[in-house]
Amino acid sequence: MDKPLKTPPPYPIASVDHALRAATILQMEGGSTVAQLAERLGVARSTAHRVLAMLVYRDFAVQGEDRVYRAGPVLELAAHSQSLVSRLRAAALPHLHRVVDLLDETANLIVRTGDTVRFIASVECRQALRVGSREGMVFPAHRTTAGLLLLADLSDEELEEVYAPERYRDRPADRPDLARLRTELRRMRRNGFAVNRERSERGLVAVGVPVRDREDTARAGLSVSMPSVRYDPHRLQHLVNALEAAAHALEQDLVEQD
């Protein structure tokens, strides 16, 4: 609640930003060519090649015989997770763009790992005052809209395991009040959506819905984020309807890919 809305630093270092974004892409999606990475970063191929060469030198990336760069030993992520994230992101991007076109607010796709969530895709809106891309960022699950929705899909036993006290011995203040959290999660299960008013960052409001697989298990969260000064509770149902339509369309696309 006490964190400010994230904005770029006053003196950004473009090369560092490119390297960090490239490492995130390799970690989450499993691989990229120089041309693909250049397009994603919005830079020349020569720049992308230099970024990848430095990542290889520092073991953040490796290059295969197929000339595709993949996450190196420093970036630990299981291969099946890479393929799942890559598949989810590719399928979701068209729907995120449609949400942004409809609502003119930044749209996100989020997955959960343990007690944290990672933003695997973000599409920014066109408004001057907007929430920037969170792609690649990690937040505590219980402080984000999509994280709460994904936690709501867990049984009491699974929730206890995620927030087992022994996992928080060195950071007890980070462990949420489980009784209060369960009350919130029950409400979200009934509603089918979540609203986050400045819970993760001051000045930010987010609304989200789950993305489910054919077994009705929540696999990801789809959300829109906006500056709190622009949030109108009277528009909540409109936001939820747009997100649910996008989530259902994404779910259908994923089923058809199986």
Side-chain angles (χ1 to χ4, degrees):
M1 294 267 311
D2 56 351
K3 293 182 179 179
L5 183 65
K6 286 187 177 180
T7 55
Y11 302 104
I13 303 174
S15 59
V16 174
D17 187 48
H18 294 332
L20 293 173
R21 289 177 61 197
T24 298
I25 289 168
L26 296 182
Q27 184 187 46
M28 293 194 303
E29 300 176 33
S32 179
T33 64
V34 172
Q36 290 169 340
L37 189 67
E39 182 179 358
R40 288 286 296 279
L41 298 180
V43 299
R45 292 190 184 189
S46 58
T47 300
H49 186 270
R50 290 195 297 271
V51 168
L52 288 166
M54 183 55 67
L55 292 181
V56 169
Y57 176 67
R58 292 297 183 184
D59 290 325
F60 281 80
V62 293
Q63 184 183 25
E65 294 182 0
D66 56 1
R67 304 183 69 81
V68 173
Y69 290 84
R70 296 179 175 84
V74 173
L75 303 176
E76 297 178 357
L77 193 66
H80 72 275
S81 297
Q82 293 172 351
S83 62
L84 173 61
V85 168
S86 180
R87 179 167 164 259
L88 267 172
R89 186 182 187 279
L93 276 174
H95 302 291
L96 293 179
H97 280 287
R98 280 193 283 272
V99 168
V100 173
D101 289 341
L102 180 63
L103 302 177
D104 205 14
E105 299 292 356
T106 297
N108 311 286
L109 184 73
I110 303 99
V111 295
R112 181 184 67 86
T113 302
D115 63 351
T116 65
V117 291
R118 183 189 292 271
F119 285 65
I120 64 171
S122 285
V123 176
E124 292 187 22
C125 68
R126 296 171 294 276
Q127 304 204 54
L129 178 62
R130 65 181 181 271
V131 177
S133 171
R134 296 293 188 267
E135 187 169 313
M137 291 186 178
V138 175
F139 292 87
H142 69 284
R143 290 192 175 275
T144 67
T145 307
L148 289 166
L149 288 165
L150 296 170
L151 291 172
D153 211 52
L154 301 179
S155 67
D156 283 348
E157 292 75 17
E158 290 170 327
L159 193 67
E160 287 279 358
E161 183 178 351
V162 168
Y163 292 107
E166 57 268 22
R167 295 188 176 187
Y168 290 83
R169 286 197 184 99
D170 298 328
R171 49 188 181 107
D174 292 342
R175 186 172 183 262
D177 182 321
L178 287 194
R180 181 180 300 175
L181 181 59
R182 287 194 188 94
T183 300
E184 291 182 286
L185 298 181
R186 282 194 294 269
R187 183 177 66 254
M188 290 173 190
R189 289 190 198 103
R190 292 194 301 269
N191 294 340
F193 65 88
V195 180
N196 178 348
R197 294 181 177 89
E198 301 188 324
R199 184 166 183 160
S200 57
E201 297 179 46
R202 189 170 66 248
L204 183 152
V205 174
V207 179
V209 300
V211 176
R212 299 186 176 277
D213 60 19
R214 62 171 72 239
E215 282 77 38
D216 200 37
T217 300
R219 294 301 184 190
L222 191 64
S223 70
V224 287
S225 304
M226 67 203 74
S228 56
V229 295
R230 199 158 59 234
Y231 175 66
D232 180 359
H234 295 99
R235 292 188 68 231
L236 176 58
Q237 194 57 55
H238 175 60
L239 298 174
V240 171
N241 290 344
L243 287 168
E244 287 181 337
H248 293 328
L250 172 56
E251 290 165 354
Q252 186 59 42
D253 286 351
L254 293 171
V255 168
E256 292 174 357
Q257 289 178 12
D258 288 341

